[in-house]
Amino acid sequence: KKALVVGGGIAGMTSALSLADQGFEVYLVEKEKNLGGMSRRIHYTLEGMDVQAYLSDIVSKVYKNPSIHKLTDATITETNGYVGNFVTQVTSEGRAREIRHGITIIATGADEYKPTEYLYGKDDRVLTSLELEEQIAKKEPRVVNARNAVMIQCVGCRNKDRNYCARICCSHSIKNALKLKELNPQMDVYIIYRDMRTYGFREDYYREAADKEIKFIRYEPEDKPQVELVEAGGKSVLRVTATDFILGKKIALDTDLLALAAAVIPSAATSEIARMFKVSLNQDGFLKEAHVKLRPVDTDADGVFLCGIAHYPKHISEAVSQAYGAAGRAADILANDS
């Protein structure tokens, strides 16, 4: 009647709370010292939800729930067994313990790609979208008072090395662009993109961005934007050059900020946990579901389920829905007498 949830992000905590509320004992294992995962770096959604307030509330519920055992700063060293009878060895805060559990939910999250292109790491005006969001949330003067900002999409994905779309980056850039315009309506904001994929009702925010004169410039993969430092007026200027398809010529944008929509990539923890629990990965390194339509939260290992961005990049609302789905499938097994 016990469950093991691997990963203490929003998806993992949602699954754990759902199972605990149904009367099952849950062990929540998180590799970091604090719960929250990637959501600790996200401050608001495109729809306006306060992510940090939501995160604080769900963490509080997890800590107050007596049926959830929290193991932070933890490492899974070994696991064996089968559905209904798993035995997993966990080291947490220097202490080793054995956990016997009937099912496992893997919610190990993902990582942000650290760019090697576009002068990232060489000029402090070049940020990832997540880093820009953190600075917007703090209302950093250099961000709020910037005269212009440029965003480049598909950095680190949709290429030969990672031939997949990270799905959430376009919405994330639109969100940051609208927030910049809200803080400083006079700022010129440019988004240099391959395809804007603000799917579903998020398309409305794309239209809103265009109405607020956020400018969109499309590029082809064989003609990517170029970023360079140039001397102008006795100071170093960050210049982005891109081909405007409508004008049919190259344009140069001197910018105070450059945000890179860095890809969501599988975490090292995901591949290791997948190996231990004998779960398959897809060609991109994310957890693979048993059947995309018939068993979307099951894995090919009986009694092991998945949710969150360890499965593939998704927005918080989608991760929460999938977490409830995984908890529901797990409860089907745990509710049996034997």
Side-chain angles (χ1 to χ4, degrees), residues 34-53:
N34 298 302
L35 300 176
M38 184 72 81
S39 57
R40 294 174 63 83
R41 301 181 63 191
I42 301 172
H43 296 268
Y44 41 83
T45 65
L46 193 52
E47 296 78 13
M49 182 183 86
D50 185 336
V51 176
Q52 292 306 305

mmCIF file with all atom_site columns, all heavy atoms in Angstrom, residues 34-53:
data_model
loop_
_atom_site.group_PDB
_atom_site.id
_atom_site.type_symbol
_atom_site.label_atom_id
_atom_site.label_alt_id
_atom_site.label_comp_id
_atom_site.label_asym_id
_atom_site.label_entity_id
_atom_site.label_seq_id
_atom_site.pdbx_PDB_ins_code
_atom_site.Cartn_x
_atom_site.Cartn_y
_atom_site.Cartn_z
_atom_site.occupancy
_atom_site.B_iso_or_equiv
_atom_site.pdbx_formal_charge
_atom_site.auth_seq_id
_atom_site.auth_comp_id
_atom_site.auth_asym_id
_atom_site.auth_atom_id
_atom_site.pdbx_PDB_model_num
ATOM 1   N N   . ASN A 1 34 ? 15.799 21.253 -1.536  1.00 0.00 ? 34 ASN A N   1
ATOM 2   C CA  . ASN A 1 34 ? 14.468 21.843 -1.443  1.00 0.00 ? 34 ASN A CA  1
ATOM 3   C C   . ASN A 1 34 ? 13.545 21.252 -2.500  1.00 0.00 ? 34 ASN A C   1
ATOM 4   O O   . ASN A 1 34 ? 13.979 20.872 -3.587  1.00 0.00 ? 34 ASN A O   1
ATOM 5   C CB  . ASN A 1 34 ? 14.548 23.365 -1.648  1.00 0.00 ? 34 ASN A CB  1
ATOM 6   C CG  . ASN A 1 34 ? 15.378 24.053 -0.579  1.00 0.00 ? 34 ASN A CG  1
ATOM 7   O OD1 . ASN A 1 34 ? 15.090 23.948 0.608   1.00 0.00 ? 34 ASN A OD1 1
ATOM 8   N ND2 . ASN A 1 34 ? 16.429 24.754 -0.993  1.00 0.00 ? 34 ASN A ND2 1
ATOM 9   N N   . LEU A 1 35 ? 12.262 21.196 -2.168  1.00 0.00 ? 35 LEU A N   1
ATOM 10  C CA  . LEU A 1 35 ? 11.267 20.749 -3.126  1.00 0.00 ? 35 LEU A CA  1
ATOM 11  C C   . LEU A 1 35 ? 10.951 21.875 -4.113  1.00 0.00 ? 35 LEU A C   1
ATOM 12  O O   . LEU A 1 35 ? 11.168 23.045 -3.816  1.00 0.00 ? 35 LEU A O   1
ATOM 13  C CB  . LEU A 1 35 ? 9.989  20.327 -2.399  1.00 0.00 ? 35 LEU A CB  1
ATOM 14  C CG  . LEU A 1 35 ? 10.114 19.178 -1.382  1.00 0.00 ? 35 LEU A CG  1
ATOM 15  C CD1 . LEU A 1 35 ? 8.784  18.956 -0.675  1.00 0.00 ? 35 LEU A CD1 1
ATOM 16  C CD2 . LEU A 1 35 ? 10.573 17.895 -2.063  1.00 0.00 ? 35 LEU A CD2 1
ATOM 17  N N   . GLY A 1 36 ? 10.444 21.521 -5.264  1.00 0.00 ? 36 GLY A N   1
ATOM 18  C CA  . GLY A 1 36 ? 10.029 22.565 -6.216  1.00 0.00 ? 36 GLY A CA  1
ATOM 19  C C   . GLY A 1 36 ? 10.559 22.370 -7.617  1.00 0.00 ? 36 GLY A C   1
ATOM 20  O O   . GLY A 1 36 ? 9.905  22.737 -8.593  1.00 0.00 ? 36 GLY A O   1
ATOM 21  N N   . GLY A 1 37 ? 11.766 21.833 -7.752  1.00 0.00 ? 37 GLY A N   1
ATOM 22  C CA  . GLY A 1 37 ? 12.326 21.583 -9.073  1.00 0.00 ? 37 GLY A CA  1
ATOM 23  C C   . GLY A 1 37 ? 12.449 22.841 -9.910  1.00 0.00 ? 37 GLY A C   1
ATOM 24  O O   . GLY A 1 37 ? 12.720 23.943 -9.412  1.00 0.00 ? 37 GLY A O   1
ATOM 25  N N   . MET A 1 38 ? 12.213 22.708 -11.213 1.00 0.00 ? 38 MET A N   1
ATOM 26  C CA  . MET A 1 38 ? 12.342 23.815 -12.159 1.00 0.00 ? 38 MET A CA  1
ATOM 27  C C   . MET A 1 38 ? 11.392 24.964 -11.847 1.00 0.00 ? 38 MET A C   1
ATOM 28  O O   . MET A 1 38 ? 11.680 26.127 -12.151 1.00 0.00 ? 38 MET A O   1
ATOM 29  C CB  . MET A 1 38 ? 12.080 23.290 -13.579 1.00 0.00 ? 38 MET A CB  1
ATOM 30  C CG  . MET A 1 38 ? 12.278 24.308 -14.684 1.00 0.00 ? 38 MET A CG  1
ATOM 31  S SD  . MET A 1 38 ? 14.012 24.720 -14.982 1.00 0.00 ? 38 MET A SD  1
ATOM 32  C CE  . MET A 1 38 ? 14.512 23.319 -16.001 1.00 0.00 ? 38 MET A CE  1
ATOM 33  N N   . SER A 1 39 ? 10.258 24.657 -11.209 1.00 0.00 ? 39 SER A N   1
ATOM 34  C CA  . SER A 1 39 ? 9.259  25.700 -10.934 1.00 0.00 ? 39 SER A CA  1
ATOM 35  C C   . SER A 1 39 ? 9.760  26.753 -9.945  1.00 0.00 ? 39 SER A C   1
ATOM 36  O O   . SER A 1 39 ? 9.180  27.841 -9.856  1.00 0.00 ? 39 SER A O   1
ATOM 37  C CB  . SER A 1 39 ? 7.960  25.083 -10.411 1.00 0.00 ? 39 SER A CB  1
ATOM 38  O OG  . SER A 1 39 ? 8.203  24.311 -9.258  1.00 0.00 ? 39 SER A OG  1
ATOM 39  N N   . ARG A 1 40 ? 10.833 26.457 -9.233  1.00 0.00 ? 40 ARG A N   1
ATOM 40  C CA  . ARG A 1 40 ? 11.401 27.459 -8.325  1.00 0.00 ? 40 ARG A CA  1
ATOM 41  C C   . ARG A 1 40 ? 11.949 28.660 -9.105  1.00 0.00 ? 40 ARG A C   1
ATOM 42  O O   . ARG A 1 40 ? 12.125 29.745 -8.548  1.00 0.00 ? 40 ARG A O   1
ATOM 43  C CB  . ARG A 1 40 ? 12.528 26.843 -7.489  1.00 0.00 ? 40 ARG A CB  1
ATOM 44  C CG  . ARG A 1 40 ? 12.044 25.768 -6.516  1.00 0.00 ? 40 ARG A CG  1
ATOM 45  C CD  . ARG A 1 40 ? 13.208 25.076 -5.822  1.00 0.00 ? 40 ARG A CD  1
ATOM 46  N NE  . ARG A 1 40 ? 13.960 26.010 -5.011  1.00 0.00 ? 40 ARG A NE  1
ATOM 47  C CZ  . ARG A 1 40 ? 13.626 26.363 -3.773  1.00 0.00 ? 40 ARG A CZ  1
ATOM 48  N NH1 . ARG A 1 40 ? 12.552 25.845 -3.210  1.00 0.00 ? 40 ARG A NH1 1
ATOM 49  N NH2 . ARG A 1 40 ? 14.354 27.213 -3.097  1.00 0.00 ? 40 ARG A NH2 1
ATOM 50  N N   . ARG A 1 41 ? 12.200 28.477 -10.406 1.00 0.00 ? 41 ARG A N   1
ATOM 51  C CA  . ARG A 1 41 ? 12.743 29.559 -11.238 1.00 0.00 ? 41 ARG A CA  1
ATOM 52  C C   . ARG A 1 41 ? 11.671 30.248 -12.085 1.00 0.00 ? 41 ARG A C   1
ATOM 53  O O   . ARG A 1 41 ? 11.972 31.158 -12.836 1.00 0.00 ? 41 ARG A O   1
ATOM 54  C CB  . ARG A 1 41 ? 13.837 28.998 -12.152 1.00 0.00 ? 41 ARG A CB  1
ATOM 55  C CG  . ARG A 1 41 ? 14.994 28.346 -11.403 1.00 0.00 ? 41 ARG A CG  1
ATOM 56  C CD  . ARG A 1 41 ? 16.044 27.837 -12.366 1.00 0.00 ? 41 ARG A CD  1
ATOM 57  N NE  . ARG A 1 41 ? 16.647 28.920 -13.136 1.00 0.00 ? 41 ARG A NE  1
ATOM 58  C CZ  . ARG A 1 41 ? 17.442 28.738 -14.187 1.00 0.00 ? 41 ARG A CZ  1
ATOM 59  N NH1 . ARG A 1 41 ? 17.713 27.508 -14.593 1.00 0.00 ? 41 ARG A NH1 1
ATOM 60  N NH2 . ARG A 1 41 ? 17.947 29.771 -14.837 1.00 0.00 ? 41 ARG A NH2 1
ATOM 61  N N   . ILE A 1 42 ? 10.433 29.779 -11.977 1.00 0.00 ? 42 ILE A N   1
ATOM 62  C CA  . ILE A 1 42 ? 9.345  30.351 -12.776 1.00 0.00 ? 42 ILE A CA  1
ATOM 63  C C   . ILE A 1 42 ? 8.449  31.170 -11.860 1.00 0.00 ? 42 ILE A C   1
ATOM 64  O O   . ILE A 1 42 ? 8.063  30.705 -10.784 1.00 0.00 ? 42 ILE A O   1
ATOM 65  C CB  . ILE A 1 42 ? 8.539  29.232 -13.471 1.00 0.00 ? 42 ILE A CB  1
ATOM 66  C CG1 . ILE A 1 42 ? 9.461  28.408 -14.376 1.00 0.00 ? 42 ILE A CG1 1
ATOM 67  C CG2 . ILE A 1 42 ? 7.390  29.812 -14.277 1.00 0.00 ? 42 ILE A CG2 1
ATOM 68  C CD1 . ILE A 1 42 ? 8.817  27.173 -14.946 1.00 0.00 ? 42 ILE A CD1 1
ATOM 69  N N   . HIS A 1 43 ? 8.115  32.375 -12.273 1.00 0.00 ? 43 HIS A N   1
ATOM 70  C CA  . HIS A 1 43 ? 7.386  33.289 -11.384 1.00 0.00 ? 43 HIS A CA  1
ATOM 71  C C   . HIS A 1 43 ? 5.948  33.540 -11.796 1.00 0.00 ? 43 HIS A C   1
ATOM 72  O O   . HIS A 1 43 ? 5.123  33.921 -10.958 1.00 0.00 ? 43 HIS A O   1
ATOM 73  C CB  . HIS A 1 43 ? 8.146  34.617 -11.289 1.00 0.00 ? 43 HIS A CB  1
ATOM 74  C CG  . HIS A 1 43 ? 9.492  34.467 -10.652 1.00 0.00 ? 43 HIS A CG  1
ATOM 75  N ND1 . HIS A 1 43 ? 9.707  34.625 -9.299  1.00 0.00 ? 43 HIS A ND1 1
ATOM 76  C CD2 . HIS A 1 43 ? 10.699 34.125 -11.177 1.00 0.00 ? 43 HIS A CD2 1
ATOM 77  C CE1 . HIS A 1 43 ? 10.984 34.413 -9.022  1.00 0.00 ? 43 HIS A CE1 1
ATOM 78  N NE2 . HIS A 1 43 ? 11.601 34.097 -10.146 1.00 0.00 ? 43 HIS A NE2 1
ATOM 79  N N   . TYR A 1 44 ? 5.611  33.348 -13.042 1.00 0.00 ? 44 TYR A N   1
ATOM 80  C CA  . TYR A 1 44 ? 4.240  33.576 -13.500 1.00 0.00 ? 44 TYR A CA  1
ATOM 81  C C   . TYR A 1 44 ? 4.040  32.804 -14.796 1.00 0.00 ? 44 TYR A C   1
ATOM 82  O O   . TYR A 1 44 ? 4.994  32.449 -15.480 1.00 0.00 ? 44 TYR A O   1
ATOM 83  C CB  . TYR A 1 44 ? 3.977  35.081 -13.733 1.00 0.00 ? 44 TYR A CB  1
ATOM 84  C CG  . TYR A 1 44 ? 5.123  35.796 -14.403 1.00 0.00 ? 44 TYR A CG  1
ATOM 85  C CD1 . TYR A 1 44 ? 5.273  35.771 -15.788 1.00 0.00 ? 44 TYR A CD1 1
ATOM 86  C CD2 . TYR A 1 44 ? 6.099  36.456 -13.659 1.00 0.00 ? 44 TYR A CD2 1
ATOM 87  C CE1 . TYR A 1 44 ? 6.344  36.386 -16.406 1.00 0.00 ? 44 TYR A CE1 1
ATOM 88  C CE2 . TYR A 1 44 ? 7.182  37.069 -14.268 1.00 0.00 ? 44 TYR A CE2 1
ATOM 89  C CZ  . TYR A 1 44 ? 7.297  37.033 -15.645 1.00 0.00 ? 44 TYR A CZ  1
ATOM 90  O OH  . TYR A 1 44 ? 8.359  37.627 -16.257 1.00 0.00 ? 44 TYR A OH  1
ATOM 91  N N   . THR A 1 45 ? 2.784  32.517 -15.090 1.00 0.00 ? 45 THR A N   1
ATOM 92  C CA  . THR A 1 45 ? 2.473  31.836 -16.344 1.00 0.00 ? 45 THR A CA  1
ATOM 93  C C   . THR A 1 45 ? 1.952  32.860 -17.349 1.00 0.00 ? 45 THR A C   1
ATOM 94  O O   . THR A 1 45 ? 1.674  34.008 -16.995 1.00 0.00 ? 45 THR A O   1
ATOM 95  C CB  . THR A 1 45 ? 1.398  30.749 -16.134 1.00 0.00 ? 45 THR A CB  1
ATOM 96  O OG1 . THR A 1 45 ? 0.176  31.390 -15.747 1.00 0.00 ? 45 THR A OG1 1
ATOM 97  C CG2 . THR A 1 45 ? 1.815  29.749 -15.065 1.00 0.00 ? 45 THR A CG2 1
ATOM 98  N N   . LEU A 1 46 ? 1.795  32.424 -18.579 1.00 0.00 ? 46 LEU A N   1
ATOM 99  C CA  . LEU A 1 46 ? 1.270  33.303 -19.619 1.00 0.00 ? 46 LEU A CA  1
ATOM 100 C C   . LEU A 1 46 ? -0.126 33.799 -19.257 1.00 0.00 ? 46 LEU A C   1
ATOM 101 O O   . LEU A 1 46 ? -0.511 34.919 -19.561 1.00 0.00 ? 46 LEU A O   1
ATOM 102 C CB  . LEU A 1 46 ? 1.245  32.549 -20.951 1.00 0.00 ? 46 LEU A CB  1
ATOM 103 C CG  . LEU A 1 46 ? 1.018  33.336 -22.245 1.00 0.00 ? 46 LEU A CG  1
ATOM 104 C CD1 . LEU A 1 46 ? 1.982  34.512 -22.358 1.00 0.00 ? 46 LEU A CD1 1
ATOM 105 C CD2 . LEU A 1 46 ? 1.156  32.429 -23.448 1.00 0.00 ? 46 LEU A CD2 1
ATOM 106 N N   . GLU A 1 47 ? -0.876 32.941 -18.552 1.00 0.00 ? 47 GLU A N   1
ATOM 107 C CA  . GLU A 1 47 ? -2.241 33.302 -18.162 1.00 0.00 ? 47 GLU A CA  1
ATOM 108 C C   . GLU A 1 47 ? -2.281 34.186 -16.921 1.00 0.00 ? 47 GLU A C   1
ATOM 109 O O   . GLU A 1 47 ? -3.349 34.653 -16.533 1.00 0.00 ? 47 GLU A O   1
ATOM 110 C CB  . GLU A 1 47 ? -3.073 32.034 -17.903 1.00 0.00 ? 47 GLU A CB  1
ATOM 111 C CG  . GLU A 1 47 ? -3.279 31.157 -19.127 1.00 0.00 ? 47 GLU A CG  1
ATOM 112 C CD  . GLU A 1 47 ? -2.070 30.294 -19.477 1.00 0.00 ? 47 GLU A CD  1
ATOM 113 O OE1 . GLU A 1 47 ? -1.150 30.183 -18.646 1.00 0.00 ? 47 GLU A OE1 1
ATOM 114 O OE2 . GLU A 1 47 ? -2.036 29.736 -20.591 1.00 0.00 ? 47 GLU A OE2 1
ATOM 115 N N   . GLY A 1 48 ? -1.118 34.388 -16.268 1.00 0.00 ? 48 GLY A N   1
ATOM 116 C CA  . GLY A 1 48 ? -1.053 35.301 -15.130 1.00 0.00 ? 48 GLY A CA  1
ATOM 117 C C   . GLY A 1 48 ? -1.021 34.643 -13.765 1.00 0.00 ? 48 GLY A C   1
ATOM 118 O O   . GLY A 1 48 ? -1.069 35.335 -12.733 1.00 0.00 ? 48 GLY A O   1
ATOM 119 N N   . MET A 1 49 ? -0.933 33.318 -13.693 1.00 0.00 ? 49 MET A N   1
ATOM 120 C CA  . MET A 1 49 ? -0.890 32.650 -12.393 1.00 0.00 ? 49 MET A CA  1
ATOM 121 C C   . MET A 1 49 ? 0.417  32.949 -11.674 1.00 0.00 ? 49 MET A C   1
ATOM 122 O O   . MET A 1 49 ? 1.483  32.961 -12.286 1.00 0.00 ? 49 MET A O   1
ATOM 123 C CB  . MET A 1 49 ? -1.027 31.134 -12.575 1.00 0.00 ? 49 MET A CB  1
ATOM 124 C CG  . MET A 1 49 ? -1.048 30.352 -11.270 1.00 0.00 ? 49 MET A CG  1
ATOM 125 S SD  . MET A 1 49 ? -1.121 28.559 -11.508 1.00 0.00 ? 49 MET A SD  1
ATOM 126 C CE  . MET A 1 49 ? 0.609  28.144 -11.688 1.00 0.00 ? 49 MET A CE  1
ATOM 127 N N   . ASP A 1 50 ? 0.345  33.192 -10.370 1.00 0.00 ? 50 ASP A N   1
ATOM 128 C CA  . ASP A 1 50 ? 1.527  33.411 -9.538  1.00 0.00 ? 50 ASP A CA  1
ATOM 129 C C   . ASP A 1 50 ? 2.111  32.041 -9.178  1.00 0.00 ? 50 ASP A C   1
ATOM 130 O O   . ASP A 1 50 ? 1.620  31.366 -8.280  1.00 0.00 ? 50 ASP A O   1
ATOM 131 C CB  . ASP A 1 50 ? 1.134  34.191 -8.275  1.00 0.00 ? 50 ASP A CB  1
ATOM 132 C CG  . ASP A 1 50 ? 2.344  34.569 -7.412  1.00 0.00 ? 50 ASP A CG  1
ATOM 133 O OD1 . ASP A 1 50 ? 3.386  33.891 -7.505  1.00 0.00 ? 50 ASP A OD1 1
ATOM 134 O OD2 . ASP A 1 50 ? 2.229  35.539 -6.641  1.00 0.00 ? 50 ASP A OD2 1
ATOM 135 N N   . VAL A 1 51 ? 3.153  31.638 -9.877  1.00 0.00 ? 51 VAL A N   1
ATOM 136 C CA  . VAL A 1 51 ? 3.709  30.291 -9.710  1.00 0.00 ? 51 VAL A CA  1
ATOM 137 C C   . VAL A 1 51 ? 4.336  30.111 -8.335  1.00 0.00 ? 51 VAL A C   1
ATOM 138 O O   . VAL A 1 51 ? 4.185  29.061 -7.702  1.00 0.00 ? 51 VAL A O   1
ATOM 139 C CB  . VAL A 1 51 ? 4.744  29.988 -10.817 1.00 0.00 ? 51 VAL A CB  1
ATOM 140 C CG1 . VAL A 1 51 ? 5.402  28.624 -10.585 1.00 0.00 ? 51 VAL A CG1 1
ATOM 141 C CG2 . VAL A 1 51 ? 4.086  30.016 -12.180 1.00 0.00 ? 51 VAL A CG2 1
ATOM 142 N N   . GLN A 1 52 ? 5.024  31.139 -7.842  1.00 0.00 ? 52 GLN A N   1
ATOM 143 C CA  . GLN A 1 52 ? 5.679  31.000 -6.540  1.00 0.00 ? 52 GLN A CA  1
ATOM 144 C C   . GLN A 1 52 ? 4.665  30.855 -5.408  1.00 0.00 ? 52 GLN A C   1
ATOM 145 O O   . GLN A 1 52 ? 4.895  30.108 -4.454  1.00 0.00 ? 52 GLN A O   1
ATOM 146 C CB  . GLN A 1 52 ? 6.607  32.191 -6.290  1.00 0.00 ? 52 GLN A CB  1
ATOM 147 C CG  . GLN A 1 52 ? 7.825  32.227 -7.207  1.00 0.00 ? 52 GLN A CG  1
ATOM 148 C CD  . GLN A 1 52 ? 8.622  30.944 -7.169  1.00 0.00 ? 52 GLN A CD  1
ATOM 149 O OE1 . GLN A 1 52 ? 9.049  30.491 -6.115  1.00 0.00 ? 52 GLN A OE1 1
ATOM 150 N NE2 . GLN A 1 52 ? 8.821  30.332 -8.334  1.00 0.00 ? 52 GLN A NE2 1
ATOM 151 N N   . ALA A 1 53 ? 3.536  31.547 -5.499  1.00 0.00 ? 53 ALA A N   1
ATOM 152 C CA  . ALA A 1 53 ? 2.485  31.400 -4.487  1.00 0.00 ? 53 ALA A CA  1
ATOM 153 C C   . ALA A 1 53 ? 1.888  29.993 -4.556  1.00 0.00 ? 53 ALA A C   1
ATOM 154 O O   . ALA A 1 53 ? 1.648  29.350 -3.521  1.00 0.00 ? 53 ALA A O   1
ATOM 155 C CB  . ALA A 1 53 ? 1.398  32.453 -4.696  1.00 0.00 ? 53 ALA A CB  1
#
